[in-house]
Amino acid sequence: MQYIKYINNKVGKQNKCIYLLALEKHFYYIVSTVAILLNGEVLMTEQQAMLSPLTILDKIKENNVTHVIYLPDSETNHLFIAMEEDPNIEVITVGREAETMAIAAGVIVGGKIPVCLVQNTGMMESGDSIRGLGLDCNLPIVMIIGYRGWTRWGITPDSAARLTEPTLNAWGIQYYLVEHDGDADRITLAFQTAAATQKPVAVLVGDEYHGFNRMNLDEERKIIKEG
């Protein structure tokens, strides 16, 4: 409450941001934006800022993806369910992330369009296959990468997050950050960049721990249908 009182006293009513802070393992994380107020109106709520698994799936389909190569995990469970239910997408699960690149290469040779869905730790584990297949063989593979540990606010104790972008830069791989539904067109940009350069391109999903698990898929489909 003292923090909120401080914000109320120091920041004008026309441009006010209030954040909830949580203490976890002796590190402060900004875990939720309560509201952003401008001229007394709420511009973005937590729900509006979410990244929906159905949005990701729609962009995958818009770019004519035929195969999703994926290591299942709990964070992207709702996306996995949505992909499995879609008759136009073939989901290929793997035992370790490095296998995704070899399978994606085979899909491309077969005349189809793959996307690899992994976490940033898995991206690092896949370094040699990304180098040998993606980069050296000039394969236009889009990797949708869960940005584990990433925070917009700069307090990033997880080394997986701190090393993600430097690693991509070291490999010379272009990437796009997607935080919420409003960023979804960057997924299409990633496919366009991959096609133009004939190189792997990454999409970093900054909202991995929130949007994918925030809403039941059936409820979300109902909202989309009614809205």
Side-chain angles (χ1 to χ4, degrees), residues 18-20 32-36 42 44-46:
I18 301 173
Y19 302 104
L20 297 181
S32 176
T33 301
V34 178
I36 299 176
V42 176
M44 181 178 290
T45 65
E46 184 178 1

Side-chain angles (χ1 to χ4, degrees), residues 51 53 55-61 63 65 67-71 73 76 79 83 97 100-101 114-120 122-123 141-147 176 178 184 186-188 190-191 201-206 208 212:
L51 178 62
T55 299
I56 297 286
L57 179 58
D58 285 345
K59 288 300 176 182
I60 287 174
K61 292 167 64 177
N63 288 281
V65 169
H67 295 73
V68 176
I69 302 103
Y70 170 56
L71 181 66
D73 63 76
T76 54
L79 176 60
M83 293 187 302
E97 291 89 342
T100 61
M101 298 302 291
V115 67
C116 295
L117 183 63
V118 298
Q119 199 178 67
N120 52 0
M123 175 203 76
I141 299 172
V142 172
M143 301 176 289
I144 298 180
I145 300 169
Y147 207 161
Y176 297 89
V178 174
R186 296 175 187 173
I187 297 173
T188 295
F191 279 97
V201 176
V203 175
L204 299 179
V205 181
E208 184 195 12
F212 283 152

Side-chain angles (χ1 to χ4, degrees), residues 75-86:
E75 297 296 340
T76 54
N77 180 55
H78 284 170
L79 176 60
F80 176 71
I81 293 172
M83 293 187 302
E84 284 275 274
E85 293 175 350
D86 195 300

Side-chain angles (χ1 to χ4, degrees), residues 21-34:
L21 298 181
L23 181 63
E24 177 179 332
K25 296 181 181 179
H26 308 294
F27 292 102
Y28 279 101
Y29 292 86
I30 297 176
V31 295
S32 176
T33 301
V34 178

Side-chain angles (χ1 to χ4, degrees), residues 145-189:
I145 300 169
Y147 207 161
R148 168 190 151 177
W150 180 84
T151 63
R152 162 183 279 274
W153 314 107
I155 303 173
T156 311
D158 192 333
S159 61
R162 294 198 306 271
L163 294 172
T164 296
E165 292 182 57
T167 299
L168 289 169
N169 286 326
W171 290 341
I173 293 177
Q174 189 164 339
Y175 58 89
Y176 297 89
L177 175 64
V178 174
E179 296 181 78
H180 50 76
D181 284 350
D183 297 332
D185 286 342
R186 296 175 187 173
I187 297 173
T188 295
L189 283 176

